[in-house]
Amino acid sequence: MTSKRYLIIGGVAGGMSVATRLRRLDEHAQITVLERGGHVSFANCGLPYHLGGVIEERSSLLLQTPESLRSRFDLDVRVRTEAVAIDRAARTVTARDLTTGEQTVLPFDALVLSPGSVPIRPPMPGGERMLSLWNIDDLDAAMSRLEAKPRTALVIGAGFIGLEMVENLAHRGIDVALVELADQVLPPVDPEMAGPVAQRLIDRGVDVRLGTEVVEIGPGSAMLDDGSVVAAEFVLGSVGVRPETGLARAAGLELGERGGIRVDDRLRTSDPHIWAIGDAVEKVDAITGEHRLIALAGLANRHGRLAADAITGRDIRVRDALGTAVVGVMGLTVAATGWNEKLLRSRGRDIRVLHTHPASHTGYYPGAETMSLKLLVDAETDLILGVQGVGGDGVDKRIDVIATAMAGGITASELAELELAYAPQYSSAKDPVNMLGYVAMNAADGLTPSIQWHEVDRAVEAGATVLDIRTAGEVDEGAVPGSLRIPLDELRDRLDELPEGRLVVHCKVGQRGHTAVRLLAQHGRDAVNLDGGYLTWRAGID
Amino acid sequence: MTSKRYLIIGGVAGGMSVATRLRRLDEHAQITVLERGGHVSFANCGLPYHLGGVIEERSSLLLQTPESLRSRFDLDVRVRTEAVAIDRAARTVTARDLTTGEQTVLPFDALVLSPGSVPIRPPMPGGERMLSLWNIDDLDAAMSRLEAKPRTALVIGAGFIGLEMVENLAHRGIDVALVELADQVLPPVDPEMAGPVAQRLIDRGVDVRLGTEVVEIGPGSAMLDDGSVVAAEFVLGSVGVRPETGLARAAGLELGERGGIRVDDRLRTSDPHIWAIGDAVEKVDAITGEHRLIALAGLANRHGRLAADAITGRDIRVRDALGTAVVGVMGLTVAATGWNEKLLRSRGRDIRVLHTHPASHTGYYPGAETMSLKLLVDAETDLILGVQGVGGDGVDKRIDVIATAMAGGITASELAELELAYAPQYSSAKDPVNMLGYVAMNAADGLTPSIQWHEVDRAVEAGATVLDIRTAGEVDEGAVPGSLRIPLDELRDRLDELPEGRLVVHCKVGQRGHTAVRLLAQHGRDAVNLDGGYLTWRAGID
Ligand SMILES: Cc1cc2nc3c(=O)[nH]c(=O)nc-3n(C[C@H](O)[C@H](O)[C@H](O)COP(=O)(O)OP(=O)(O)OC[C@H]3O[C@@H](n4cnc5c(N)ncnc54)[C@H](O)[C@@H]3O)c2cc1C
Ligand SMILES: Cc1cc2nc3c(=O)[nH]c(=O)nc-3n(C[C@H](O)[C@H](O)[C@H](O)COP(=O)(O)OP(=O)(O)OC[C@H]3O[C@@H](n4cnc5c(N)ncnc54)[C@H](O)[C@@H]3O)c2cc1C
Ligand SMILES: CC(C)(COP(=O)(O)OP(=O)(O)OC[C@H]1O[C@@H](n2cnc3c(N)ncnc32)[C@H](O)[C@@H]1OP(=O)(O)O)[C@@H](O)C(=O)NCCC(=O)NCCS
Ligand SMILES: CC(C)(COP(=O)(O)OP(=O)(O)OC[C@H]1O[C@@H](n2cnc3c(N)ncnc32)[C@H](O)[C@@H]1OP(=O)(O)O)[C@@H](O)C(=O)NCCC(=O)NCCS
């Protein structure tokens, strides 16, 4: 029996996960990993935090080295070696040693592509001064620029990674400007959820410029499309990535409409001897069934393991992807999975939208923090289409629980009955996830009709009255203009003070509003609850 | 149309949840709540923390008062009023005002029982000095005893609530002794998971006495069944509760074998006009389908809401219960759901058991803490039967995710593909839950056979060799006696040093052991992995 020859292109998240699992499945195979860069198995996701000094040692980002992978897994790992061509007929790959220029032709029985993605660099005058942060070489370049102790920095792009860059540069004491083309930070979440994140950045001194583009980078500053200039001794770009598909394209492998490598549900490309995983590959979206690009380490790692299983003849199936993501921003946690409202509406999906602002744990136990949750529900099936969370402690927990519910086909209403761990410092007897279930159920039943923050103006124009049922103290902190004020606890006795017509009821978060709407409806009134209450309305209109 | 008369016995977790939801569903009903104690709607679960001074204000435990419930929900709440008899034929309840002794007969269209449970007080000489902590009156009694500034305290019973009592008394600077009849703390989890919790208590100065019973309480001390005496100026008991079923029994309602009120899956008792919820009621166990007593606030609250729905004619079904619970103990979090190994083995269930010790988040980001997880899997169906977690940050998250997976029918192996939120400070690219999925899959596939900590001695007696593949530095911190030591990274080159026969391989947590077993198996060796590695073995034998 001759041993199998497995060849892997790309030696980080996806590629190295294939290699190690392959070794555990086949001790006698020849496993070779080609990596263009100088390092394999490094923590891409940790790069921003070393930049900021939070992760102190560069070496702690290097999880494995070619030597450690040799001794533990008997892998032939070749760094600074680029795969330059695939000969599908001959089943070989040509590898070039980037140090010596020497080329080698490597035969394979199975080939895995995990070449990742490359940062997009919008062309502009001075654009060469814009750094990226995608691998260890990038990190080293950025760290050496930081030795000059810049006092100002510009980050272009307010996505998840862009915000990590902002946080980390600010952590170094640098004055940071953030420029984003969209009119909100974190485009993957909806604007009323992103608003408080932008506010947090501003509160911490970041110069946040939304709906703006950088048009030129000068020696110590940058010019924006509105003509303004921001100081920028240090410039970091994070405006997205595109799949690294050059090799695959040249080899004639099928690509998809989103520009990624096409694979089947066993991670096989259009060539039966070639598999592909990671950022370079299109995933099937769990909500729409369409192909989509998702650049996340968890998927790359897990699909790496699955690819090894597939190659060695195990019967695997790749699950459609939700794209669960999380980021920490100056003490806030922002997490999301599935689709957002913008996307769902743009597809004309019939959805129910709900916002809550629960406490991370019981209010009577010290340290509870308010979070904001948003659930998107299919109006017909009650299935969960997406969820977003912003807050402090416990946001990641709730998003993970709901991502799991989505994977298990648990409907929005069924969230109500999940048995989640409760003691006063961890949750509430009705966990925020249960509470979302209740709100979803009340919406599905039509028990409490609600309207969204962006629908209030239209309702008022159509003759509705906004009824604010908060206490006087709460109203002092700000209110919807023109609202009538009757605290909930007085409402039953003051029904005769209400004007005719539709009532848009609101409290701070929506909870008391629900009780008020039920009360009013049973007294014959046409009342709707402002979903998410004053907090969501405020975040939306700001 | 005459308005409905709804009568509720018990005005705290379950009872008040029925009342408020009933009001939202029926604005015009007469809703009366009878409560024997002096307070309704209080935070039972917060009692230990006010005792310890963590929750400073007693008033913050009183979430609602009869007045606030009147103004917001138009409820007729009668405290210090005991329901003393139910006349099912007449559909009335006799209520006694405990202050005046006056009796009133209250008619009902629907009656809900949520009388809770009562602490068990084992009879013993001096037993009257043992306090309980079950309601506000108990709390007031305990607080007034603490005014004498006792320096020593005894807590009897090391369940979830007992440990909260220990923590809180210690937090006040009192020297605490803890006596537990079982030979471990936290009997709901398995001994090797509970061991580190007991150790934490000991490290923080608690005098932990396991497998011991208090036989007599003296004026400032207590005597144990081993003849020893512990100082005990203050004595608190927490040895379990029994359902409060006196009224139900007297009324001839059906009770179950576990001594609780029997209800159907719509929470209706054997009388069609009477519903029951909360601690007093038997739940159907989700794992076995048997009836079981589970005293948890989440179930009481949520079933309260469901009962209101049922009474007003909504079509509800109660889910079988898992019994998810969590407790914080001196910086550790202990959480669990489903069944434990002891119970499953006692029923002869064919199970797979797995232990892991993952980090709460990536090791390279500061602040990661090691946790211990234990998963119990049905050997035939791969369904999850239970999970336990002990550690710091993120334990509650993983238990909640797995409880949700269980509710969704996600199998142990399918945990591998859950898309959980990952960034370096929140998780790992393969979350601990994913990792449990991998380990479960490898066990199900027979890829890496494992043995449990308590099976090592037997294996060695049968001729196996324990092979320790940790590094020299790790071995210095303690090792399995008689083990052969070859670090994993040298194993492939030193295969000829291995003795014949079975090899019980172990590393620190099981992860490297898995790679080693795969290596050895493919070199023709009979190797098994010590599940959970040295850490689980150590926790088990201690
Ligand atoms: C700064 C930063 C922060 C991130 N934070 C997170 C996070 O918090 N959470 C999260 O889920 N994801 C995060 N990600 C994304 C995550 O790192 C990627 O999704 C993941 O690494 C993709 O894995 P991959 O194997 O597809 O590609 P990579 O891990 O990028 O590996 C691809 C490798 O292939 C090599 N290569 C390409 N072409 C060739 C060739 N022809 N020959 C040889 N080698 C080649 C490249 O040099 C590269 O090293 C972050 C990424 C970055 C850069
Ligand atoms: C100290 C402590 C800590 C706890 N911690 C947690 C925790 O962290 N997590 C968790 O999930 N659970 C916890 N629990 C358990 C939780 O509080 C109970 O499961 C829950 O309160 C049960 O709700 P219930 O409505 O059945 O009973 P209860 O909330 O106890 O209410 C029953 C009420 O009925 C009244 N009553 C009884 N008989 C009559 C009668 N004949 N007439 C009038 N009134 C009557 C009683 O006076 C009592 O007030 C804790 C309990 C305690 C005591
Ligand atoms: C680390 C890396 C080399 C993969 O190594 P690996 O050995 O396959 O994976 P891990 O270290 O995650 O360990 C997982 C294995 O240990 C097993 N395992 C984990 N805990 C275990 C335990 N307690 N008992 C038994 N087995 C255990 C798992 O089952 C799995 O083995 P399997 O795939 O055969 O089922 C690769 O993921 C990598 O290079 N990562 C760095 C780059 C990266 O991921 N970047 C993006 C994120 S920053
Ligand atoms: C508090 C208590 C009186 C119940 O009051 P309640 O109004 O029914 O319940 P909550 O305050 O939890 O609010 C839940 C309601 O608000 C709704 N709600 C919550 N957030 C909302 C939001 N953002 N928008 C709209 N509705 C919301 C829920 O849907 C639910 O209404 P529903 O039951 O009609 O669906 C009762 O649980 C109690 O007495 N608790 C204290 C005792 C106790 O639980 N002890 C044990 C734990 S320590």
Side-chain angles (χ1 to χ4, degrees), chain A residues 434-454:
Chain A
N434 298 136
M435 216 54 121
L436 281 176
Y438 290 138
V439 181
M441 213 184 277
N442 294 332
D445 288 355
L447 206 58
T448 283
S450 67
I451 71 170
Q452 293 298 311
W453 60 274
H454 51 80

Side-chain angles (χ1 to χ4, degrees), chain A residues 211-232:
Chain A
T212 319
E213 215 172 344
V214 178
V215 291
E216 185 175 338
I217 301 177
S221 66
M223 196 198 283
L224 311 186
D225 63 356
D226 60 7
S228 64
V229 171
V230 292

Side-chain angles (χ1 to χ4, degrees), chain A residues 67-87:
Chain A
E67 297 68 43
S68 70
L69 290 160
R70 161 70 74 185
S71 57
R72 179 158 303 176
F73 296 105
D74 193 20
L75 302 180
D76 177 3
V77 176
R78 307 187 188 180
V79 292
R80 303 229 182 269
T81 303
E82 183 169 15
V84 292
I86 302 169
D87 184 337

Side-chain angles (χ1 to χ4, degrees), chain A residues 105-141:
Chain A
V105 174
L106 300 166
F108 63 81
D109 296 302
L111 173 66
V112 185
L113 308 179
S114 190
S117 48
V118 282
I120 294 168
R121 301 178 59 88
M124 67 180 88
E128 64 286 352
R129 218 161 64 69
M130 184 182 98
L131 301 177
S132 297
L133 194 61
W134 207 245
N135 56 36
I136 298 287
D137 294 341
D138 293 342
L139 177 70
D140 292 343

Side-chain angles (χ1 to χ4, degrees), chain B residues 468 470-481 483 485 506-507 534 537-538:
Chain B
D468 185 342
R470 296 174 301 161
T471 60
E474 292 177 279
V475 173
D476 286 346
E477 288 165 28
V480 179
S483 56
R485 287 147 205 187
H506 85 88
C507 61
Y534 182 73
W537 179 82
R538 179 88 254 166

Side-chain angles (χ1 to χ4, degrees), chain A residues 422-424, chain B residues 9-15 34-37 39 42 44-48 81-84 114-117 133-135 161 164-165 244 247 277-280 294-298 300 324 326:
Chain A
Y422 163 60
Chain B
I9 298 176
V12 192
L34 305 180
E35 169 54 52
R36 181 167 58 194
H39 302 84
F42 61 84
N44 332 48
C45 318
L47 299 176
T81 304
E82 182 168 14
V84 291
S114 190
S117 48
L133 194 60
W134 207 245
N135 56 36
I161 297 175
E164 290 185 344
M165 293 170 172
E244 172 70 277
L247 258 188
I277 52 173
D279 288 2
I294 308 179
L296 287 172
T324 311
V326 63

